Amino acid sequence: MYNGIGLQTPRGSGTNGYIQTNKFFVRPKSAKVETKAFEGDQGTGGVKRANREILEHDRKRQIQLKLVILEEKLIDQGYTDDEISQKLDEARKNLEAAATAEETSVGRSGTTKNKY
């Protein structure tokens, strides 16, 4: 027995009597964390601008998604591989041109219309 904890004798108990601490016990914190309310200009920082690389990646991903859907439709309609690749190239050029035109119009006006 160690500090009043454990068995008087481990004989017949199925254990060797070794006492371990509970590693998963979370002790409550004694110190309270002080929080401050918003004061003056606190919390009214400038608006963060979106990362240009992330927006570009998202635009390319949307174009690729549309092309995959188009490819599946063309396969279901029975087009040959050459015809499919040709139509996908044309569609990619059109989608990229539309995306760049939309990007330039966004740059001028500063807002976009939501397509959804």
Side-chain angles (χ1 to χ4, degrees):
M1 176 143 87
Y2 178 73
N3 285 343
I5 302 171
L7 304 170
Q8 294 291 336
T9 174
R11 187 173 195 189
S13 65
T15 67
N16 64 357
Y18 182 73
I19 299 167
Q20 296 180 356
T21 59
N22 185 354
K23 305 288 184 191
F24 295 99
F25 178 71
V26 179
R27 292 191 174 109
K29 295 182 180 181
S30 60
K32 290 186 178 180
V33 177
E34 293 182 22
T35 57
K36 296 180 182 178
F38 285 112
E39 298 173 359
D41 63 345
Q42 191 177 20
T44 58
V47 177
K48 284 189 173 182
R49 299 185 70 196
N51 189 344
R52 195 174 289 272
E53 292 174 357
I54 293 174
L55 293 175
E56 180 69 19
H57 175 75
D58 189 46
R59 183 184 65 81
K60 288 179 181 178
R61 194 173 58 82
Q62 293 297 327
I63 290 173
Q64 189 63 32
L65 177 65
K66 290 176 185 176
L67 291 174
V68 168
I69 292 170
L70 177 64
E71 182 179 14
E72 290 175 359
K73 286 181 183 178
L74 293 175
I75 289 172
D76 290 342
Q77 292 175 2
Y79 286 97
T80 63
D81 290 339
D82 293 334
E83 292 172 333
I84 290 173
S85 64
Q86 185 179 23
K87 289 187 183 234
L88 288 177
D89 289 337
E90 291 173 10
R92 181 183 305 272
K93 289 177 186 176
N94 291 337
L95 289 171
E96 287 178 356
T100 55
E102 181 180 321
E103 183 178 306
T104 56
S105 68
V106 169
R108 284 187 233 136
S109 66
T111 58
T112 60
K113 287 196 278 183
N114 193 353
K115 294 180 186 178
Y116 302 104

